[in-house]
């Protein structure tokens, strides 16, 4: 957890390129549907999410603790007040606070399944509805949902995994120089946060401008029929249930194209998007590790990429 008033700059984070890109894509295209971050502790997951709010001034981070009750999450209706006065009285919850911002759930796999269902429903519908004793209240609820989890402490149900648009696996750096940079930058930051942030100010502004330009470009990205058919073939070949993955794959590919200043979705965007969209939706074979799933994915993509 950050303990300084000045946030660690997003552009100062060493490595973790997949994690950073997954977060950026959701900021460029808020309709994607969030990120699930899986991996060991101490790998900059929380730092990256908080740093994102420092990069994009309009965003703040709302934390949802695993101990939160349903009323704390969705808000509460005062039934007694309604009976006495005939007027609704609604106490907003975390979903109201997170509207237009980032809702961050550390160790989301430890949340009650019912709470996770509520979160994902609100994220998908853009509305939070609370009903008690025949009284209901609704309010807009659009947010960037970011969940983290350590798979060794239990997984999410497949139905819930499927609701996250993107997923990334994170781990500690294995390159000696990059690992040394992680230490060096952290120590510099802790010594003088304001001065450290100043060093990255121009990079921060440049990245924010890239995000804003990509947003403008997104609606104009062309998607040819052969790209739609490729997305469908990939879903069938990998035996992914339903059509949500196909749609998310195309939306992610289009967002990647916008981010890379392209005018149309290409094979490289589909290939890149597949690695964010499909791994957490693929049926894992008994005793299969992540590497085995990557090989299956590559086996499906290679024929299309060599046409």
């Amino acid at each position: 957890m950050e303990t300084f008033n000045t946030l660690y700059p997003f552009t100062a984070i060493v490595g973790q390129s997949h994690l950073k890109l997954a977060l950026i894509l959701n900021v460029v295209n808020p309709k994607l549907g969030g990120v699930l971050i899986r991996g060991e502790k101490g790998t900059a997951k929380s730092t990256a999410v908080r740093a994102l709010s420092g990069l994009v001034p309009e965003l703040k981070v709302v934390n949802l603790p695993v101990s939160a009750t349903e009323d704390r999450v969705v808000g509460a209706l005062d039934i007694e007040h309604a009976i006495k006065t005939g007027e609704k009285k609604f106490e907003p919850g975390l979903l109201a606070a997170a509207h237009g911002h980032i809702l961050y759930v550390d160790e989301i796999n430890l949340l009650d399944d019912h709470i996770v269902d509520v979160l994902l429903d609100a994220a998908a519908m853009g509305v939070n509805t609370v009903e008690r004793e025949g009284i209901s209240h609704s309010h807009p609820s659009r947010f960037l949902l970011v969940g983290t989890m350590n798979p060794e402490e239990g997984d999410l149900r497949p139905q819930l995994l499927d609701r996250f648009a993107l997923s990334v696996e994170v781990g500690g750096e294995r390159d000696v120089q990059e690992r040394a940079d992680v230490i060096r930058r952290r120590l510099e930051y802790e010594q003088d946060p304001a001065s450290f942030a100043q060093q990255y100010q121009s990079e921060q502004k440049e990245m924010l401008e890239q995000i804003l330009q990509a947003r403008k470009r997104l609606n104009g990205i062309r998607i040819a029929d052969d790209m739609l058919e490729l997305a469908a073939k990939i879903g069938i070949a990998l035996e992914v249930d339903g059509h949500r993955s196909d749609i998310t794959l195309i939306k992610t590919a289009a967002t990647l194209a916008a981010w890379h200043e392209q005018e149309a979705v290409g094979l490289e965007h589909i290939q890149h998007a597949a690695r964010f969209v499909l791994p957490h939706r693929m049926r894992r074979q008994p005793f299969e590790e992540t590497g085995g799933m990557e090989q299956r994915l590559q086996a499906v993509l290679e024929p299309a990429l060599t046409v």
Side-chain angles (χ1 to χ4, degrees):
M1 178 181 295
E2 303 295 340
T3 57
F4 304 96
N5 291 329
T6 302
L7 291 170
Y8 195 91
F10 190 82
T11 54
I13 296 171
V14 177
Q16 306 297 6
S17 58
H18 296 299
L19 168 59
K20 290 188 286 188
L21 182 56
L23 292 171
I24 288 172
L25 292 177
N26 272 273
V27 174
V28 171
N29 184 359
K31 294 181 180 177
L32 273 185
V35 185
L36 178 63
I37 307 168
R38 302 197 287 189
E40 58 199 66
K41 295 180 181 297
T43 48
K45 297 189 295 292
S46 297
T47 297
V49 175
R50 295 179 188 286
L52 192 64
S53 70
L55 180 66
V56 184
E58 70 201 44
L59 292 177
K60 67 177 182 181
V61 177
V62 176
N63 281 302
L64 192 160
V66 293
S67 58
T69 63
E70 182 176 351
D71 281 354
R72 177 75 180 109
V73 175
V74 302
L77 280 165
D78 189 335
I79 302 301
E80 185 177 350
H81 179 84
I83 293 172
K84 288 181 178 177
T85 67
E87 297 177 351
K88 285 193 293 188
K89 184 178 180 182
F90 178 68
E91 183 69 31
L94 292 172
L95 290 182
H99 180 55
H101 301 287
I102 300 168
L103 185 61
Y104 179 57
V105 191
D106 194 17
E107 299 183 320
I108 193 169
N109 53 322
L110 302 183
L111 266 184
D112 183 274
D113 281 352
H114 176 62
I115 299 291
V116 180
D117 276 331
V118 168
L119 291 181
L120 295 172
D121 282 345
M125 302 299 292
V127 176
N128 175 43
T129 299
V130 182
E131 294 184 352
R132 299 282 188 277
E133 307 293 337
I135 302 172
S136 67
H137 177 83
S138 298
H139 65 79
S141 183
R142 296 191 182 281
F143 52 86
L144 166 54
L145 178 61
V146 181
T148 69
M149 58 177 283
N150 182 347
E152 294 180 354
E153 297 173 348
D155 215 335
L156 287 172
R157 287 183 286 127
Q159 296 92 331
L160 300 180
L161 284 172
D162 182 50
R163 304 285 291 279
F164 276 95
L166 314 183
S167 74
V168 290
E169 300 274 349
V170 295
E173 291 297 333
R174 293 293 179 264
D175 180 87
V176 172
Q177 290 305 316
E178 288 206 343
R179 199 150 179 145
D181 279 343
V182 171
I183 302 169
R184 185 179 300 110
R185 291 186 186 184
R186 184 68 200 188
L187 293 178
E188 288 178 9
Y189 171 70
E190 291 187 7
Q191 187 172 22
D192 188 346
S195 177
F196 183 81
Q198 183 69 28
Q199 296 176 45
Y200 293 89
Q201 193 173 38
S202 62
E203 291 181 41
Q204 293 276 104
K205 287 182 177 178
E206 185 178 342
M207 182 168 282
L208 175 59
E209 182 60 26
Q210 285 180 297
I211 289 171
L212 297 177
Q213 292 301 318
R215 282 180 178 173
K216 292 179 181 176
R217 204 176 292 116
L218 182 60
N219 286 337
I221 297 295
R222 298 194 307 277
I223 306 171
D225 286 348
D226 59 342
M227 293 297 105
L228 299 178
E229 291 169 5
L230 176 58
K233 288 177 182 175
I234 291 171
I236 293 170
L238 294 178
E239 299 180 341
V240 179
D241 294 334
H243 302 295
R244 184 177 286 121
S245 66
D246 306 351
I247 296 167
T248 305
L249 179 58
I250 286 296
K251 287 166 66 177
T252 305
T255 309
L256 277 164
W259 175 245
H260 291 301
E261 302 181 13
Q262 304 295 306
E263 296 180 350
V265 170
L267 284 172
E268 69 276 19
H269 303 128
I270 296 286
Q271 182 185 31
H272 201 166
R275 286 174 169 73
F276 286 121
V277 173
L278 297 175
H280 61 298
R281 295 182 165 94
M282 292 166 62
R283 295 176 186 171
R284 185 166 293 187
Q285 303 298 328
F287 310 112
E288 183 181 32
E289 300 294 336
T290 303
M293 297 177 69
E294 173 66 22
Q295 290 175 2
R296 288 163 58 200
L297 178 58
Q298 188 61 27
V300 174
L301 288 171
E302 278 185 353
L305 295 170
T306 55
V307 171

